[in-house]
Amino acid sequence: GQNIDQPTEMTATEGAIVQINCTYQTSGFNGLFWYQQHAGEAPTFLSYNVLDGLEEKGRFSSFLSRSKGYSYLLLKELQMKDSASYLCAVMDSNYQLIWGAGTKLIIKP
Amino acid sequence: IAGITQAPTSQILAAGRRMTLRCTQDMRHNAMYWYRQDLGLGLRLIHYSNTAGTTGKGEVPDGYSVSRANTDDFPLTLASAVPSQTSVYFCASSEDRETGELFFGEGSRLTVL
């Protein structure tokens, strides 16, 4: 079966760095996506990786290793507004998105 | 710029009643999707449409139906609601089915009693 694993919850301190991991087993691979979802709101797109390596976008970076079935989202200089759930999703060979359950990130002052 | 509009935002419904959740997008996207989101679970795909006039079943289609008469509208109908359909429903769209950058509506919180 297809599976996406990510930690349920993480806590970090304002101004620090946090890494949210995602491992996946899917039927084929057509890209890995990270979304941010604030409580009570809709998910919003953060990043996309299809090749191995690091993609940087401001304070957020996303890394992919296809051979290991592994990705991480790195958030730097954490701000209170980064408190949210972060969803990892993989597009399989049928172009269907398989979603992880999300990681709730709690930022403490 | 509206993006995707869902209605209603919230609804309480008696079991056995019929309910239609509306979804409209103004981005001229080809692909549209309906997901449900339940605590502790990832987004689960109910139905999708790759282009106007076509629809397909997702992971959890039972008890739901959709139609795609035109590019902009993609309503989701619960023919006879059951309590297990209590959830938050998100409509989303993307330029095409190969694009994983989805744009989501604000969600419809449905409670079936």
Side-chain angles (χ1 to χ4, degrees), chain A residues 33 35 37 41-43 45 87 91 94-97 99-101, chain B residues 35 37 40-43 90 97-102 104-106:
Chain A
F33 302 81
Y35 282 76
Q37 185 177 23
E41 298 184 7
F45 170 79
L87 314 181
M91 183 166 277
N94 292 321
Y95 295 99
Q96 178 168 328
L97 277 173
W99 295 83
Chain B
Y35 287 96
Q37 187 174 42
L41 299 177
L43 289 164
F90 287 103
R97 68 184 292 261
E98 292 87 12
T99 304
E101 182 179 354
L102 270 56
F104 286 83
E106 290 304 307

Side-chain angles (χ1 to χ4, degrees), chain B residues 70-89:
Chain B
N70 56 60
T71 297
D72 299 344
D73 301 302
F74 191 45
L76 175 74
T77 297
L78 289 67
S80 179
V82 295
S84 62
Q85 292 178 312
T86 293
S87 187
V88 179
Y89 292 86

Side-chain angles (χ1 to χ4, degrees), chain A residues 35-91:
Chain A
Y35 282 76
Q36 180 188 59
Q37 185 177 23
H38 286 102
E41 298 184 7
T44 56
F45 170 79
L46 280 179
S47 69
Y48 164 60
N49 294 71
V50 67
L51 299 176
D52 288 354
L54 190 68
E55 293 283 341
E56 296 185 79
K57 191 185 292 186
R59 294 188 299 113
F60 292 9
S61 303
S62 57
F63 172 83
L64 174 67
S65 169
R66 289 172 297 171
S67 62
K68 295 182 180 178
Y70 167 70
S71 172
Y72 66 73
L73 181 70
L74 191 72
L75 291 74
K76 302 176 186 176
E77 301 170 14
L78 286 170
Q79 302 175 9
M80 298 303 293
K81 68 179 182 179
D82 297 329
S83 292
S85 288
Y86 291 86
L87 314 181
C88 175
V90 173
M91 183 166 277

Side-chain angles (χ1 to χ4, degrees), chain B residues 29-74:
Chain B
H29 283 172
N30 286 313
M32 296 188 75
Y33 315 86
W34 274 105
Y35 287 96
R36 60 178 289 173
Q37 187 174 42
D38 302 289
L39 200 62
L41 299 177
L43 289 164
R44 291 185 291 170
L45 183 64
I46 305 170
H47 284 287
Y48 65 92
S49 170
N50 291 331
T51 189
T54 69
T55 62
K57 293 182 179 180
E59 179 186 356
V60 289
D62 294 343
Y64 306 95
S65 64
V66 292
S67 62
R68 186 90 183 275
N70 56 60
T71 297
D72 299 344
D73 301 302
F74 191 45

Side-chain angles (χ1 to χ4, degrees), chain A residues 14-30:
Chain A
E14 189 178 15
I17 299 173
V18 70
Q19 178 175 311
I20 302 174
N21 296 325
C22 170
T23 58
Y24 64 89
Q25 287 182 306
T26 56
S27 302
F29 179 86
N30 278 304

